[in-house]
Amino acid sequence: MGKRIVIALGGNALGNNLPEQMIAVKQTSKAIADLIEEGHEVIIAHGNGPQVGMIQKAMAELTRSDPEKYIPCPLSVCVAMSQGYIGYDLQNGLREELLDRGINKGVATVLTQVEVDPLDPAFQNPTKPIGAFMTKEEADKLVAERGYNVIEDAGRGYRRVVASPKPQSIIEIESIRDMVQAGLVVVACGGGGIPVYKTEGHHLKGAAAVIDKDFASCVLAQQVNADTLIILTAVEKVAINFGKPEEQWLDELTPDQARKYISEGHFAPGSMLPKVQAAVEFAESAPGRSALITLLEKAKDGVAGRTGTAIHQ
């Protein structure tokens, strides 16, 4: 009996630029097709760090070249652009791989908005650097004219920082569910989703923020009633005492064990920590649900219980 699986692709599955992405997507598609061939329903989410950074920098340079003609592109629009072109490569790569295996299955990308709370404390403490490095004069101008938050970044110049609020719900979830029910492979919540919040009436306003891809994938997995959330990363298993002589790789984790290790500081913020937190949240969200953290090329073996770190109650 196949499972309904949400896969959260890490940055290593997509490369750092356009040529790398086209190569990486071929390998990524093979790993995903392995799961589909086994009879699983698959929904794909992905990061967009290098891609949205590239778009943001290009837009900033355009604004610098002719500030009278061009205005800065909102971050929410840059996220939407990244969803479009990553989805374009992913759905074509996966379609080709499936057809090569004799599997005639549609693949579609959903431009996905994710609701955040405008009162989320993260908006009071923006910490995520984005975009190009600036001189102090350029940074001061953006602070004065646009109210940006900026930081000095390790002696390399100044950068804008934005909030990373927690995802609340997925705006297009009904469309995603319908497409999954119709048998399509769906790519959604790219880059954590386009962050939006509700204003007057039914209007959705883009937020100057980035949503963590792993937390967004957790919400997506819950809202499509997935059996398993797979978070793919650069290591085969989760470890405690990582990089130390007493390093220990973990086959399984209960939520309570994971919280203990989190409190002891075993998982790095911005790296393994959000992955473990998202995995725990999903595993506890309903009976029978589990999460898996492993390498992209080990996804099939991980679902079969042969590798990776399984998180379940």
Side-chain angles (χ1 to χ4, degrees):
M1 184 70 180
K3 295 180 179 180
R4 179 170 291 182
I5 297 171
V6 168
I7 298 176
L9 295 175
N12 60 320
L14 296 170
N16 291 305
N17 53 46
L18 283 169
E20 283 186 17
Q21 180 170 301
M22 294 186 75
I23 295 167
V25 159
K26 288 185 180 296
Q27 291 305 115
T28 299
S29 296
K30 290 180 188 301
I32 296 168
D34 284 346
L35 293 172
I36 295 168
E37 202 167 38
E38 293 277 307
H40 302 299
E41 289 182 335
V42 175
I43 303 102
I44 304 159
H46 60 80
N48 71 341
Q51 295 84 0
V52 79
M54 180 181 70
I55 293 168
Q56 187 80 12
K57 287 178 182 179
M59 292 298 177
E61 288 301 319
L62 189 65
T63 304
R64 285 177 182 174
S65 68
D66 192 346
E68 297 297 319
K69 184 176 180 181
Y70 301 107
I71 61 171
C73 186
L75 181 56
S76 56
V77 175
C78 294
V79 174
M81 290 178 181
S82 73
Q83 284 189 3
Y85 93 76
I86 294 170
Y88 162 63
D89 276 350
L90 263 178
Q91 68 186 40
N92 276 346
L94 189 51
R95 173 186 174 276
E96 181 179 351
E97 181 65 29
L98 290 172
L99 287 173
D100 285 348
R101 299 185 187 202
I103 302 170
N104 188 12
K105 202 171 184 64
V107 187
T109 300
V110 177
L111 204 64
T112 316
Q113 301 173 96
V114 174
E115 186 178 2
V116 298
D117 183 353
L119 300 179
D120 190 305
F123 285 107
Q124 304 305 315
N125 182 34
T127 57
K128 295 285 185 181
I130 61 158
F133 288 97
M134 301 176 284
T135 64
K136 188 172 188 310
E137 292 73 22
E138 288 172 325
D140 287 344
K141 185 178 181 189
L142 286 177
V143 170
E145 292 181 358
R146 304 201 171 271
Y148 284 3
N149 293 285
V150 299
I151 59 166
E152 197 278 325
D153 193 333
R156 296 178 294 175
Y158 290 78
R159 293 183 79 189
R160 183 186 178 193
V161 287
V162 298
S164 184
K166 285 289 184 71
Q168 302 294 309
S169 63
I170 296 162
I171 301 298
E172 287 78 21
I173 194 61
E174 292 298 337
S175 298
I176 294 167
R177 285 178 185 146
D178 288 347
M179 293 166 80
V180 172
Q181 195 63 33
L184 296 176
V185 180
V186 182
V187 181
C189 289
I194 304 161
V196 296
Y197 58 89
K198 292 174 181 173
T199 59
E200 292 182 12
H202 299 292
H203 183 67
L204 295 171
K205 182 175 176 58
V210 291
I211 300 171
D212 184 278
K213 168 264 303 176
D214 298 312
F215 290 131
S217 300
C218 174
V219 173
L220 174 64
Q222 291 179 64
Q223 294 194 331
V224 298
N225 195 26
D227 301 297
T228 303
L229 169 64
I230 304 179
I231 299 177
L232 299 176
T233 185
V235 291
E236 188 168 343
K237 297 180 182 180
V238 176
I240 55 173
N241 299 307
F242 183 70
K244 300 176 182 178
E246 62 272 31
E247 179 180 87
Q248 180 185 348
W249 298 97
L250 305 171
D251 296 326
E252 289 185 301
L253 269 177
T254 66
D256 286 342
Q257 287 172 329
R259 277 189 283 268
K260 177 177 179 290
Y261 292 142
I262 288 169
S263 69
E264 293 171 353
H266 283 284
F267 310 127
S271 179
M272 188 55 74
L273 178 59
K275 294 173 177 28
V276 173
Q277 290 174 322
V280 167
E281 182 181 331
F282 180 72
E284 290 190 313
S285 62
R289 288 178 174 172
S290 65
L292 174 72
I293 300 175
T294 193
L295 282 168
L296 169 68
E297 55 268 32
K298 297 288 186 177
K300 178 181 174 181
D301 286 342
V303 170
R306 291 190 288 267
T307 192
T309 301
I311 298 93
H312 52 78
Q313 304 223 54

